[in-house]
Amino acid sequence: MPQTALIIGAGPAGLTAALELCRQSQVRPVVLEASHEIGGLSRTVRYQGNRMDIGGHRFFSKSERVMQWWLDLLPLAEAPGEGAALHYHRQTTPLAAAAPVAESGSDRVMLLRPRKSRIYYDRKFFDYPLAFTPQLVWNLGLGRTAKIAASYQMAKLFPRRPESTLEDFFINRFGRQLYSTFFRDYTEKVWGLPCDQISAEWGAQRIKGLSLARAIRHFMGKIFRGPGMDYRQSQTETSLIEQFLYPKYGPGQLWEYAAELIRAAGGDIILGQQVTGLRCEGGQVRAVESRDESGLTHHYAADYVISTMPVQDLLRALRPAPPAEILNLGAGLVYRDFITIGLLARQLKQTEADGRPLQDNWIYIQEPEVKIGRLQIFNNWSPYMVADPATTWLGLEYFCNAGDPLWQMPDADLRRLGARELAQIGLLDEAMVLDGCVVRVPKTYPAYFGTYQHFAQIRQWLDPLQNLYLTGRNGMHRYNNQDHSMLTAMAAVDNIVSGQTGKDHIWATNTEPEYHEVKSRGQSA
């Protein structure tokens, strides 16, 4: 009988695992997805002809394997001769010789997009990452700039030890003054907790090798570097990249196509299936149970199980149940939830210095008097995300906890809140708003507090289940980027294909120093 791999979740990790199994083995993947959407957090939400990218997904990775995987599915547009609106200049951004190039006129393509993100603070725009330019000094003033420089020198001379909290992490790399100006308020919006109550591991996970010194070196390098940057930018710290790949119609386009390929290769993707049970026997998961929306229970025999479901839910679904201590640790894991308010407007109030519309992919809102954490401008991700190019399609991002007043606020009130807050900080005239929608996403961010400090005990209990592989962001309770989630899935499939049972290399994804720091030339992550 052919073997079956039950894959829980149709997000980047689950779909990567399924397609890799189809390509590398005779193991048949069966993907069970609780929602009716493909792509998980990387899906594309459609509203009145406009498209939303939940959270914003730059297709960039230091892993050559991931970059090639993306381009195999969606080759690079040869000349987005769809044109000038893409701000693409082939003569100054030559492609690597190995990059696949799509046929002219194809919609299944990657666009090469310029990266621009800024911080909005004190009603002014600041480059992110911060660059010490005359504009920065002008915006801050000489007095505050001097305080930032002195504070940074103090942090270098007298770093905080041990570096146990996120506040320690930020101050050691940027100094207290810069931390309190540009990092503290936004980060506390994201997590709903002061930075001195969050583990420093979050900083190591998300910010990696970025520091003030590295940002300055990168800026100076830009001044003296000529044209011709390779779009892969494999030598560049993730937070400093200047361009990225992006599917023409948003990230969901890639994952929807991946789902087509999986089905065409004999795999199965079943939507609307909430996994409720994993039956274990002899140190392995033998079957998976799910419930559909009508309440019917379905049983699937499993030779392998790849899980991307939240660890908290996985532990509750195991039969027989884990020990009470492990269940309690799982129950204490914390997640942060997320709301995106889509607003369609005629235009924003602010423009670039030359009069063009704002060119940012997203803007970090550091103003403490409003709840909004980040603003996306979908036009600048891909012009094809917007039905009418004469309008501006915005994504207002709010961080909350499921069940709190913000989460429970009616959609119409949330739309009004978003428009009012953008008007309050001078970015939008409320009268310019034409339409809007609301998307709520539970368990978006696995948190580095609660019982997270004891997560090693959960892993120690789960790892001996020989044919169970935890992958992805929620599957590992780790704030992975899309590419890291894919790499964990690839590592799990490599195990299945090779018969390897150890899982340390899966857990090592996104922790190795060569990924955090600038890679040596020619080295693969």
Side-chain angles (χ1 to χ4, degrees):
M1 294 289 290
Q3 292 184 310
T4 299
L6 261 293
I7 300 172
I8 305 171
L15 294 175
T16 298
L19 190 53
E20 286 296 288
L21 284 169
C22 291
R23 288 170 166 173
Q24 297 188 44
S25 74
Q26 299 300 311
V27 178
R28 177 174 174 264
V30 176
V31 182
L32 303 179
E33 167 58 41
S35 73
H36 287 272
E37 304 284 346
I38 294 291
L41 291 177
S42 297
R43 69 186 184 274
T44 298
V45 176
R46 295 166 175 82
Y47 178 75
Q48 304 288 17
N50 300 296
R51 291 173 165 83
M52 297 174 65
D53 180 350
I54 303 300
H57 290 84
R58 296 192 298 254
F59 282 69
F60 163 80
S61 179
K62 290 185 180 181
S63 166
E64 295 294 334
R65 184 177 182 183
V66 170
M67 291 290 286
Q68 195 62 51
W69 201 96
W70 285 331
L71 288 167
D72 284 343
L73 267 64
L74 300 183
L76 199 60
E78 182 176 8
E82 292 127 308
L86 296 177
H87 309 297
Y88 175 98
H89 303 287
R90 189 180 178 91
Q91 69 272 23
T92 60
T93 314
L95 307 179
V101 177
E103 295 180 6
S104 178
S106 173
D107 280 335
R108 283 181 173 159
V109 293
M110 287 285 193
L111 307 179
L112 188 63
R113 303 298 291 143
R115 172 199 180 276
K116 184 171 186 178
S117 57
R118 288 182 288 184
I119 297 169
Y120 191 66
Y121 168 71
D122 196 23
R123 308 306 194 260
K124 302 181 185 77
F125 288 103
F126 296 82
D127 288 337
Y128 180 80
L130 293 167
F132 273 77
T133 62
Q135 184 63 45
L136 176 72
V137 177
W138 177 264
N139 283 351
L140 289 173
L142 287 174
R144 188 182 288 173
T145 302
K147 286 181 181 179
I148 286 173
S151 174
Y152 176 69
Q153 287 300 319
M154 285 293 292
K156 294 293 100 181
L157 290 171
F158 305 104
R160 289 188 168 199
R161 295 288 183 263
E163 188 179 274
S164 57
T165 71
L166 189 55
E167 181 174 271
D168 299 335
F169 180 94
F170 279 130
I171 290 175
N172 283 348
R173 282 155 186 78
F174 301 97
R176 176 175 287 280
Q177 190 72 30
L178 200 60
Y179 155 70
S180 60
T181 303
F182 289 115
F183 292 94
R184 182 183 60 202
D185 291 340
Y186 174 79
T187 306
E188 291 181 2
K189 283 181 186 181
V190 172
W191 296 110
L193 278 180
C195 291
D196 62 3
Q197 296 180 33
I198 302 171
S199 169
E201 189 171 341
W202 182 86
Q205 186 88 21
R206 297 298 296 179
I207 301 173
K208 306 189 193 310
L210 183 63
S211 65
L212 185 57
R214 175 158 289 170
I216 293 171
R217 288 199 302 271
H218 178 76
F219 172 72
M220 297 304 295
K222 282 173 60 177
I223 294 175
F224 299 105
R225 184 179 63 237
M229 176 188 292
D230 179 359
Y231 75 96
R232 292 177 185 264
Q233 304 164 95
S234 58
Q235 307 299 311
T236 307
E237 163 60 40
T238 302
S239 298
L240 300 174
I241 63 166
E242 296 173 23
Q243 53 194 17
F244 57 91
L245 302 177
Y246 196 73
K248 182 174 181 177
Y249 294 114
Q253 181 186 18
L254 180 134
W255 297 112
E256 290 159 16
Y257 183 43
E260 288 181 32
L261 295 175
I262 291 162
R263 287 170 170 144
D268 205 357
I269 301 173
I270 310 173
L271 304 179
Q273 295 288 322
Q274 181 72 51
V275 169
T276 56
L278 288 84
R279 300 285 175 181
C280 303
E281 182 183 335
Q284 296 200 11
V285 180
R286 300 294 185 180
V288 174
E289 296 176 354
S290 67
R291 184 174 57 244
D292 63 28
E293 291 172 334
S294 68
L296 290 176
T297 297
H298 303 263
H299 300 263
Y300 302 90
D303 296 288
Y304 307 96
V305 176
I306 298 175
S307 174
T308 71
M309 70 191 295
V311 172
Q312 188 177 79
D313 298 335
L314 174 72
L315 291 170
R316 291 171 180 158
L318 287 169
R319 303 289 183 273
E325 179 187 7
I326 299 299
L327 285 174
N328 289 335
L329 290 177
L333 293 174
V334 178
Y335 302 82
R336 191 72 163 151
D337 307 297
F338 182 77
I339 297 172
T340 294
I341 302 170
L343 288 183
L344 186 67
R346 290 189 179 91
Q347 62 188 34
L348 285 169
K349 203 169 181 179
Q350 299 268 16
T351 64
E352 299 290 349
D354 59 7
R356 289 182 300 159
L358 295 180
Q359 300 297 296
D360 303 78
N361 309 117
W362 61 50
I363 300 168
Y364 296 95
I365 307 297
Q366 189 71 5
E367 306 289 23
E369 70 267 31
V370 293
K371 295 179 179 177
I372 179 175
R374 197 170 64 172
L375 174 68
Q376 288 199 72
I377 305 175
F378 294 119
N379 307 57
N380 298 332
W381 288 91
S382 166
Y384 304 99
M385 300 284 278
V386 189
D388 180 358
T391 61
T392 302
W393 180 223
L394 306 170
L396 290 66
E397 300 181 354
Y398 289 81
F399 311 96
C400 58
N401 295 322
D404 70 14
L406 190 65
W407 182 268
Q408 294 180 329
M409 189 179 291
D411 288 3
D413 291 347
L414 280 169
R415 291 194 297 269
R416 283 191 288 270
L417 171 69
R420 185 171 66 248
E421 289 201 337
L422 288 185
Q424 182 179 343
I425 59 178
L427 287 176
L428 178 70
D429 184 340
E430 288 184 73
M432 291 289 103
V433 176
L434 304 170
D435 198 359
C437 66
V438 174
V439 179
R440 293 173 179 80
V441 186
K443 288 187 168 67
T444 312
Y445 302 107
Y448 288 68
F449 44 90
T451 56
Y452 177 76
Q453 62 181 319
H454 303 295
F455 190 82
Q457 292 176 242
I458 296 175
R459 180 190 159 189
Q460 187 176 13
W461 193 87
L462 287 169
D463 271 0
L465 290 171
Q466 189 175 338
N467 67 337
L468 174 64
Y469 299 94
L470 307 190
T471 63
R473 176 181 284 195
N474 277 339
M476 303 175 79
H477 202 85
R478 179 179 288 172
Y479 198 157
N480 284 326
N481 280 334
Q482 177 179 228
D483 63 326
H484 303 135
S485 294
M486 294 173 64
L487 285 167
T488 62
M490 291 173 177
V493 171
D494 292 344
N495 264 29
I496 291 170
V497 171
S498 66
Q500 183 178 344
T501 58
K503 299 172 184 176
D504 287 349
H505 63 296
I506 302 175
W507 289 99
T509 302
N510 195 24
T511 62
E512 63 274 19
E514 65 267 25
Y515 198 98
H516 288 190
E517 305 300 331
V518 176
K519 295 190 329 180
S520 305
R521 185 168 298 277
Q523 180 182 11
S524 296

